Amino acid sequence: SSWLGKAAQTMEKTTELDLLKCWLVSETFGDGRVPGSYEDLFIESLPSPADLIHLPIYWGSKDVSLLEGSCMGQQLAERRQNIHFFHSELCEAVLHNDKEFDPDEVARVLTLEN
């Protein structure tokens, strides 16, 4: 399990999907990727956020504002709030459970803008 996954396992209500997301983030943005490995080839095959711009979760605030007052806008706001909450809890868990990590490095890997 990844260092993010280990931290996520200490959190309440962590799902297998959460652990998969942690693995993907640590493999994608961490320094441990081995070029040409099966993991690297898998990650390279995944779509980038630019490829997924048609999904509202990747929209900027200007486009999201067009959904204000709609059911979809409300669902998107709730989903983003849940992502932000999980992200905050994960950052806290990493810093609390593994003192060897530099907080700046954790912030770089866990930034929501990646």
Side-chain angles (χ1 to χ4, degrees):
S1 136
S2 72
W3 58 273
L4 284 178
K6 288 176 185 173
Q9 287 175 333
T10 67
M11 298 165 41
E12 288 184 41
K13 300 181 183 179
T14 297
T15 66
E16 290 176 352
L17 182 59
D18 293 329
L19 295 176
L20 176 60
K21 289 185 270 185
C22 288
W23 178 80
L24 284 171
V25 167
S26 62
E27 286 293 316
T28 303
F29 300 107
D31 297 328
R33 269 177 83 177
V34 177
S37 68
Y38 290 118
E39 293 87 356
D40 184 57
L41 295 172
F42 171 72
I43 290 168
E44 289 299 318
S45 74
L46 298 174
S48 71
D51 296 329
L52 302 173
I53 198 65
H54 62 283
L55 300 173
I57 198 75
Y58 294 104
W59 291 359
S61 57
K62 181 181 175 185
D63 293 324
V64 169
S65 70
L66 298 172
L67 297 175
E68 278 185 30
S70 71
C71 181
M72 187 175 195
Q74 182 180 359
Q75 290 175 346
L76 180 59
E78 289 172 7
R79 180 69 183 130
R80 284 185 165 189
Q81 184 177 14
N82 290 340
I83 290 169
H84 183 74
F85 178 75
F86 181 79
H87 175 264
S88 297
E89 290 286 313
L90 184 58
C91 287
E92 190 66 34
V94 167
L95 294 175
H96 178 74
N97 292 302
D98 203 329
K99 305 296 185 206
E100 70 185 57
F101 286 107
D102 174 18
D104 292 334
E105 178 65 9
V106 171
R108 182 188 70 80
V109 173
L110 293 181
T111 182
L112 290 173
E113 280 77 41
N114 275 332

